[in-house]
Amino acid sequence: MKGSTLLGWASMPAALALGIPPTQVVLPGKITKGLKTLTSFASKDEICPQAPKVAVPADGLHESVAFLKDEHFRARQAQRLSRAVQVPTTVGDFATDPYDKSFEPIVEFQSLLKKMFPRVHTKAKVEHINRLGLVFTLQGSDPSRKPILLMAHQDVVPIDDPSDWTHPPFSGHFDGEWIWGRGSSDCKNTLIGLMSSVEDLLSQEWHPSRTIVLAFGFDEESHGFLGAGNISTVLEDRYGRDSFEFILDEGGTGLRNIGNDTSILYASPAVGEKGSLDLVLDLAVPGGHSSVPPTHTGIGIMAEIIYELERQELFSPRLDPSHPSYGMLGCQARYSPDHVEPWLSEKLVHGDPESLAEALADSRGPAVRYTLQTSQAADLITGGVKTNALPEKISAVVNYRVALHMTADQLRERAVRIIEPIAKAHNITLHVDFAGSANPTGMFDGTGDRTLVLSPLMEPLDPAPISPTDPLTSQTWARFSGVIRSVFESHSNPLTSKSSAESETIPKVVVTGDIMTGNTDTRFYWSLTENIYRWAPSREDGSYNIHTVDERVHLDAHLEGVMILSDPLTNGQIEIENGMASKVVASMVEKDVQPRNWLLPVNL
Ligand SMILES: *[C@@H]1O[C@H](CO)[C@@H](O)[C@H](O)[C@H]1NC(C)=O
Ligand SMILES: *[C@@H]1O[C@H](CO)[C@@H](O)[C@H](O)[C@H]1NC(C)=O
Ligand SMILES: *[C@@H]1O[C@H](CO)[C@@H](O)[C@H](O)[C@H]1NC(C)=O
Ligand SMILES: [Zn+2]
């Protein structure tokens, strides 16, 4: 996206903001600087270009909207998800052995899947990777098309005090609207949605043209090495690098309105992830009796280190056009000009990446700040055993989420810069124990019994590669976002349309990439494709409380998530000639297509 084309946002005519084809809009004279005419928007330089809706092939499958309305289907889906939540597949931190007894619920969960989804289990190849990783492969009829990979995880985060919950955390209670319990929205809804889609497609004698792979790890909430870590190796060996059309996993910011404007619905799959580093500090100093202490005990020294880490070389936010949020803000400025900061368009065009980012972080709060800035949180500390004994071993862990413009290496270097003078002042030998990184030269080397070791808790992770989101050049994104538009422009918000006549509006859907501040199992799959979409298509008020008490998902939100996994998504393709937009742009004049159904209502 080029800066010059952003010039006109502040005074963009309302007609343009509402998606009237750009070629029909005449640009007011005073903002034409740098632009010939707005027809140049129908090219690579358009602000927030949207793919056309994807037309439904006439092959007799049911319409997707029926699934929101079919009572049998609704009841069965509530029951499926509820039963899945009832199996407490919790995973703690640092699981290392798939044969550990704590994984027994995963075994039970898999036998439940087998009962609930018999067709998937007979028609797909079923594989267990590293005992509990589950991979289903449905062979496509057209080997020239790349396979697609649909992901979710079987495990859930543990619960704290069950008595804090409105309904017991593993009851899978369905109150007629909401399915309650741990995992209901992170992410058994996704897993059950995927299985349900495929099960019901298969019940309609559906034959995918592409190969469809479903891959479910079992320790995502404990970093994913056992599940996705091992599955990814198998898939890369089997299919090779860059072998998948796209990957779809949990995540993203779902579907949202801005302010109270329900006429535009933003769909924001995450197309990037921040990196992460858990920096471990292990300090060892001589012990002794507390009555004859040194000026600074090991705890005092560790406190000084953390104090300085929180005060020196502070991180700042940055937002330039390479960051997916830049494109997202461009979309908001184009389609919701009355609902964003009055200065947004101007700053996107003229602001430097630092001041633009700082202004946004101030205006939108910490959740947005940390999509643009590295975070640092001292999360663990231990040390000392007794009031009359000096502490000998003190450990702390500081968690970093690496902003897109930084690397994990830079964070290690910063930590060494800040900590080295402190170590020196206290006569402590500093060791930097990162694989592949030598101790910096000239580092103070004290003696023997006073040492500080800096190491990563696990392999540091750099920010993920950004997946392409220009529908004019990426046919994969064009199809993916076109299917999203087809599905969500086909009906009004089921969560509000029952209670208020005013919200019967069918929105215009704007699809735009976003990033995640946390990590998903896709961290293991970067080599398989450049197109990695992390997106649970859940509306803003369709699920609550991931990772805490009273996690729940609205049945309608779950059903809409099932709807997106359509056959148009898995089978079709958009042709883009010469890397340019001719056909896409030509078809931007929308026909009113209904997304096709891929699920067959059957009796329970
Ligand atoms: C595969 O699982 C084993 C344990 O079963 C683990 O040690 C290893 O790190 C995993 N592989 C990857 C690539 O994460
Ligand atoms: C939407 O919010 C704006 C202010 O945020 C207010 O002026 C306007 O009346 C609201 N519109 C509706 C339909 O509630
Ligand atoms: C550093 O510690 C060693 C023993 O661990 C001691 O011999 C030396 O004098 C100390 N140096 C300073 C400057 O305190
Ligand atoms: Zn999850």
Side-chain angles (χ1 to χ4, degrees):
M1 189 181 295
K2 285 187 191 136
S4 61
T5 61
L6 307 181
L7 207 58
W9 286 356
S11 32
M12 188 167 282
L16 181 56
L18 287 169
I20 292 173
T23 48
Q24 298 175 13
V25 181
V26 181
L27 193 68
K30 72 188 199 10
I31 54 168
T32 51
K33 192 169 151 237
L35 280 178
K36 290 185 191 79
T37 69
L38 263 182
T39 49
S40 65
F41 278 18
S43 77
K44 224 169 162 301
D45 299 329
E46 183 184 347
I47 300 158
C48 190
Q50 293 296 302
K53 294 200 253 182
V54 171
V56 177
D59 57 6
L61 297 184
H62 290 254
E63 282 186 21
S64 60
V65 168
F67 297 111
L68 275 173
K69 306 200 167 132
D70 182 284
E71 287 307 325
H72 286 297
F73 186 79
R74 294 178 65 89
R76 183 180 58 178
Q77 213 51 25
Q79 191 190 59
R80 280 172 169 169
L81 183 51
S82 165
R83 290 181 67 188
V85 169
Q86 286 167 27
V87 187
T89 54
T90 52
V91 60
D93 271 340
F94 314 121
T96 54
D97 179 6
Y99 289 90
D100 193 284
K101 250 186 69 185
S102 64
F103 283 122
E104 282 316 307
I106 302 273
V107 177
E108 185 190 339
F109 182 68
Q110 295 185 357
S111 61
L112 175 66
L113 292 181
K114 200 166 176 179
K115 276 189 219 118
M116 292 199 297
F117 305 106
R119 290 185 185 84
V120 181
H121 281 79
T122 50
K123 299 202 173 170
K125 178 168 86 174
V126 186
E127 289 172 285
H128 289 87
I129 312 291
N130 203 19
R131 186 180 185 221
L132 298 173
L134 253 186
V135 176
F136 298 92
T137 306
L138 275 160
Q139 201 60 45
S141 57
D142 182 352
S144 72
R145 288 185 172 187
K146 287 181 170 181
I148 65 172
L149 175 56
L150 305 171
M151 298 171 59
H153 56 85
Q154 305 166 68
D155 57 299
V156 298
V157 290
I159 49 127
D160 195 347
D161 182 353
S163 69
D164 291 341
W165 288 65
T166 306
H167 303 287
F170 298 105
S171 62
H173 179 75
F174 178 53
D175 63 10
E177 291 192 348
W178 297 85
I179 295 131
W180 295 71
R182 174 63 81 235
S184 58
S185 65
D186 180 12
C187 66
K188 285 179 174 168
N189 56 328
T190 300
L191 192 150
I192 296 300
L194 289 169
M195 292 297 280
S196 303
S197 299
V198 176
E199 180 76 8
D200 293 294
L201 275 168
L202 291 173
S203 76
Q204 300 179 79
E205 299 303 318
W206 169 77
H207 300 287
S209 61
R210 295 178 192 283
T211 293
I212 313 288
V213 180
L214 307 180
F216 305 144
F218 60 96
D219 63 334
E220 193 274 346
E221 304 290 2
S222 165
H223 308 290
F225 292 97
L226 307 184
N230 279 262
I231 293 171
S232 64
T233 312
V234 171
L235 295 181
E236 195 182 321
D237 287 350
R238 183 173 302 162
Y239 296 98
R241 298 176 70 83
D242 199 24
S243 52
F244 280 79
E245 177 74 6
F246 68 86
I247 294 174
L248 178 61
D249 194 10
E250 62 170 338
T253 30
L255 292 145
R256 276 158 208 271
N257 298 124
I258 296 191
N260 53 11
D261 177 10
T262 54
S263 66
I264 305 284
L265 184 61
Y266 289 90
S268 306
V271 295
E273 280 182 8
K274 290 173 85 175
S276 78
L277 166 66
D278 280 314
L279 179 68
V280 183
L281 303 104
D282 285 313
L283 176 63
V285 290
H289 199 283
S290 305
S291 58
V292 196
T295 316
H296 300 287
T297 68
I299 289 176
I301 295 168
M302 186 65 86
E304 183 181 345
I305 289 170
I306 289 171
Y307 182 92
E308 293 301 339
L309 284 174
E310 290 188 350
R311 279 161 186 79
Q312 291 187 35
E313 293 194 40
L314 296 182
F315 302 105
S316 53
R318 183 184 161 89
L319 178 58
D320 66 32
S322 71
H323 193 294
S325 297
Y326 192 91
M328 181 166 70
L329 291 159
C331 290
Q332 295 176 1
R334 173 172 176 179
Y335 289 102
S336 309
D338 300 333
H339 300 272
V340 293
E341 296 81 356
W343 45 260
L344 182 61
S345 300
E346 166 69 18
K347 272 208 162 46
L348 281 170
V349 181
H350 296 298
D352 63 85
E354 282 74 27
S355 65
L356 167 64
E358 193 57 54
L360 265 167
D362 273 357
S363 151
R364 301 198 177 188
V368 166
R369 172 177 295 279
Y370 287 111
T371 61
L372 310 174
Q373 175 179 325
T374 295
S375 63
Q376 169 182 265
D379 281 332
L380 297 175
I381 189 159
T382 59
V385 290
K386 206 163 180 317
T387 56
N388 62 0
L390 295 170
E392 294 171 335
K393 302 242 187 283
I394 304 92
S395 296
V397 182
V398 185
N399 175 262
Y400 296 89
R401 306 297 172 115
V402 189
L404 269 47
H405 59 279
M406 297 190 79
T407 63
D409 276 353
Q410 289 175 317
L411 298 181
R412 183 200 69 227
E413 288 158 11
R414 167 189 178 270
V416 170
R417 274 196 303 277
I418 293 171
I419 294 169
E420 194 181 7
I422 302 172
K424 188 168 181 176
H426 294 287
N427 198 4
I428 287 167
T429 306
L430 181 60
H431 295 289
V432 181
D433 188 10
F434 277 62
S437 88
N439 274 342
T441 51
M443 182 173 298
F444 180 73
D445 194 3
T447 42
D449 56 358
R450 302 170 64 80
T451 59
L452 172 61
V453 180
L454 303 189
S455 63
L457 188 60
M458 60 202 63
E459 203 180 325
L461 185 66
D462 279 331
I466 306 295
S467 302
T469 54
D470 183 350
L472 307 180
T473 53
S474 167
Q475 59 179 356
T476 308
W477 175 261
R479 173 152 292 270
F480 180 67
S481 55
V483 168
I484 292 174
R485 290 193 57 205
S486 291
V487 170
F488 290 98
E489 291 185 12
S490 72
H491 62 285
S492 55
N493 184 350
L495 297 170
T496 57
S497 56
K498 281 165 199 146
S499 54
S500 115
E502 180 202 329
S503 44
E504 290 282 345
T505 29
I506 307 261
K508 176 175 176 60
V509 175
V510 174
V511 189
T512 165
D514 195 2
I515 70 152
M516 290 184 61
T517 50
N519 298 114
T520 62
D521 269 344
T522 60
R523 57 179 291 186
F524 297 101
Y525 293 77
W526 294 352
S527 72
L528 294 179
T529 178
E530 64 170 351
N531 304 306
I532 301 182
Y533 311 137
R534 305 150 187 90
W535 196 55
S538 177
R539 291 183 192 260
E540 201 163 5
D541 296 314
S543 67
Y544 291 114
N545 295 11
I546 284 177
H547 289 212
T548 182
V549 295
D550 283 349
E551 180 177 345
R552 59 195 184 276
V553 70
H554 198 285
L555 177 60
D556 285 327
H558 171 58
L559 291 167
E560 288 190 301
V562 179
M563 287 171 70
I564 197 67
L565 297 158
S566 64
D567 183 47
L569 183 66
T570 54
N571 262 350
Q573 61 188 7
I574 285 181
E575 303 299 341
I576 297 181
E577 284 146 15
N578 303 325
M580 277 305 293
S582 50
K583 280 199 177 174
V584 174
V585 171
S587 57
M588 286 230 178
V589 182
E590 295 151 17
K591 290 173 228 90
D592 229 3
V593 290
Q594 282 292 308
R596 192 255 310 282
N597 268 2
W598 60 97
L599 295 175
L600 179 67
V602 296
N603 294 332
L604 273 169

